Amino acid sequence: MISSALSQQGISPTKALPERDMYFPGTEDLKPDEMRITALGTGQPSVRPKQAASCFLVELGNGDKFLFDLGSGSHERIASQKIPYDYIDKVFISHLHVDHFGDLASFWLGGTVMNRLVPLRIWGPSGDTPELGTKYCLEKMQEMYNWDVKTRSGFVDFRGGALEINEFPYEGVNQTIFEENGVVIRTFPAIHAINGAVSFILEWNGMKFIYGGDTFPNKWYIKYAAGADFAIHESFLPPTLLVTKQGFTPLEAVRVGTQAHTSPEQFGKVMSMVKPRIAVAFHFYNDFDTQPEIRERIRKTYDGDISLAIDYMVWNVTKDEIRTRMAAKDEDVWPSPALRDKLSPSGSEAPFSEFILSGREPFPEVVQPIFDEINEIYKTDLKPEN
Ligand SMILES: [Zn+2]
Ligand SMILES: [Zn+2]
């Protein structure tokens, strides 16, 4: 009886399971009408092994992929998704706190040796002065990594080192900042720390995705997220836990937990007005002892569908269904081979001084056979530098 019931479900001791309760990156087709969202950073500003800082990946059935924030620690989680770097070339930054873009440099420059052969495109808000805006920040980042850029560009095809920086006014209300390939992305202001934080709306195929970033509850979120298919909003640790678990003073805890950020009760209030198909809370340490209290506090003000996000949570969203699973992570993952033909690197210009060159030990008896091996396998005629 049992074996017949199992075989009716397609379950067999020698076949792959027909239905899996985990998401295995790189092994599932994305259907043409489907949106897949993966949480790649859900924690608080300080990263920890279980939770990187803010980062959400949105993949669409038309092939487009978008990162919303790229907080500290999130790059390795992006890598775990087995997605060729050329495919993830669009990053939207909600504000310039390090927990929302701290891994951008790693993703940008690391990506150049992980086979990204297209420029990295970044969108981010202005500030009240040019020095507080995304453009200034990223131009300075490029300057800061001058040595890194100079070293890599001579050794690898460096097209992926180009940055396209798109700064938009933070005050824009429902302003369109991206419109390509049937995807529209709009922004509205967030209220967080000082002027210059924003939230994002992504619309595609009749579905609406909202990424709130960090924000105090606000009228724009309530208006423009209304009826969303998928609405992400921060929900910080409640002040009680900030005091007991994180050593905040009571004053710090209520200020940070209810004024700089949104408490679970405030999150619930917002979502009870927005009424999304699913509400997603993030930006708190999500553990066995914090989650019950956070859920209970949210339930005081919201009774709709909810996910308390944790890193590697995955949602497959269509107009008919939202399926929530956890992704398996492969720590042995390697980057995909280049999708485009590679160009030869430009070669370093005067990489070393005479003084440093005088210190080289070239070991020709060891290095020449390595070149011979490569030349034989690939029919090349490469020679070591002296
Ligand atoms: Zn912030
Ligand atoms: Zn934050």
Side-chain angles (χ1 to χ4, degrees):
M1 283 299 284
I2 290 169
S3 82
S4 125
L6 290 176
S7 63
Q8 275 170 18
Q9 295 168 41
I11 294 175
S12 139
T14 56
K15 302 281 186 198
L17 295 172
E19 177 78 8
R20 293 180 293 185
D21 50 7
M22 297 283 289
Y23 168 65
F24 294 87
T27 68
E28 276 186 20
D29 293 348
L30 194 56
K31 298 186 194 80
D33 63 344
E34 190 175 31
M35 183 185 280
R36 181 165 58 215
I37 298 145
T38 310
L40 300 174
T42 60
Q44 290 190 206
S46 302
V47 299
R48 60 181 191 150
K50 185 174 167 182
Q51 287 179 284
S54 306
C55 180
F56 284 84
L57 168 71
V58 177
E59 300 177 85
L60 304 180
N62 69 359
D64 278 341
K65 299 180 194 297
F66 303 87
L67 286 171
F68 289 91
D69 283 340
L70 219 166
S72 320
S74 61
H75 183 185
E76 69 165 76
R77 280 131 163 92
I78 297 168
S80 77
Q81 298 308 298
K82 291 178 174 287
I83 300 170
Y85 274 61
D86 270 7
Y87 288 168
I88 338 176
D89 63 345
K90 295 181 275 297
V91 181
F92 290 76
I93 299 171
S94 68
H95 64 294
L96 296 170
H97 267 153
V98 70
D99 59 313
H100 292 257
F101 82 116
D103 260 14
L104 181 65
S106 165
F107 184 70
W108 162 46
L109 290 167
T112 62
V113 286
M114 304 295 251
N115 297 324
R116 188 200 313 112
L117 298 177
V118 294
L120 184 61
R121 308 173 68 192
I122 302 169
W123 285 259
S126 64
D128 273 340
T129 63
E131 296 77 23
L132 291 170
T134 300
K135 183 167 180 286
Y136 178 91
C137 171
L138 298 186
E139 285 173 356
K140 292 292 178 196
M141 178 183 81
Q142 285 174 296
E143 279 183 38
M144 182 173 120
Y145 284 102
N146 209 7
W147 194 91
D148 186 300
V149 168
K150 217 171 169 51
T151 57
R152 286 179 208 265
S153 53
F155 287 96
V156 295
D157 179 344
F158 199 65
R159 282 175 289 172
L163 282 185
E164 178 194 309
I165 302 169
N166 302 284
E167 181 177 290
F168 55 84
Y170 74 82
E171 309 99 318
V173 175
N174 205 29
Q175 75 181 324
T176 300
I177 57 164
F178 179 93
E179 197 163 9
E180 291 177 20
N181 208 12
V183 184
V184 179
I185 296 180
R186 300 189 174 87
T187 70
F188 53 87
I191 303 177
H192 176 62
I194 59 172
N195 290 342
V198 300
S199 300
F200 295 104
I201 308 165
L202 180 152
E203 285 182 287
W204 168 75
N205 193 34
M207 292 190 283
K208 184 155 83 168
F209 161 93
I210 306 288
Y211 177 65
D214 286 358
T215 190
F216 187 78
N218 69 74
K219 64 178 184 180
W220 300 293
Y221 192 99
I222 291 164
K223 179 170 179 185
Y224 294 106
D229 294 273
F230 195 94
I232 303 172
H233 192 292
E234 66 146 298
S235 172
F236 221 68
L237 278 183
T240 47
L241 291 177
L242 286 172
V243 173
T244 57
K245 299 268 294 183
Q246 223 171 333
F248 279 52
T249 66
L251 176 63
E252 286 172 339
V254 286
R255 282 216 176 130
V256 172
T258 70
Q259 305 301 307
H261 289 283
T262 294
S263 66
E265 291 91 333
Q266 290 164 297
F267 169 91
K269 186 78 184 162
V270 169
M271 289 304 174
S272 67
M273 299 170 83
V274 167
K275 296 185 175 45
R277 283 173 67 201
I278 188 164
V280 177
F282 82 112
H283 220 317
F284 59 91
Y285 287 154
N286 192 343
D287 288 333
F288 72 94
D289 56 347
T290 58
Q291 192 183 100
E293 178 168 347
I294 288 164
R295 189 181 294 276
E296 196 180 306
R297 288 174 179 274
I298 291 174
R299 284 300 181 218
K300 289 182 188 171
T301 48
Y302 176 64
D303 61 6
D305 275 353
I306 188 166
S307 289
L308 301 183
I310 186 80
D311 291 19
Y312 302 110
M313 194 175 268
V314 182
W315 301 262
N316 290 66
V317 183
T318 62
K319 284 175 183 156
D320 304 321
E321 189 191 9
I322 297 177
R323 185 176 185 209
T324 308
R325 292 174 293 173
M326 291 299 293
K329 63 172 183 285
D330 176 2
E331 297 199 337
D332 296 317
V333 68
W334 280 57
S336 299
L339 301 172
R340 294 163 168 76
D341 287 339
K342 284 197 168 183
L343 305 177
S344 291
S346 55
S348 328
E349 342 103 35
F352 297 117
S353 64
E354 286 301 320
F355 168 68
I356 293 298
L357 281 176
S358 74
R360 293 183 89 226
E361 295 287 2
F363 295 138
E365 72 281 14
V366 172
V367 174
Q368 188 58 51
I370 300 172
F371 274 72
D372 292 344
E373 185 186 10
I374 288 285
N375 285 333
E376 191 180 331
I377 298 171
Y378 297 104
K379 310 295 172 222
T380 47
D381 184 26
L382 304 171
K383 297 182 180 66
E385 290 163 40
N386 292 321

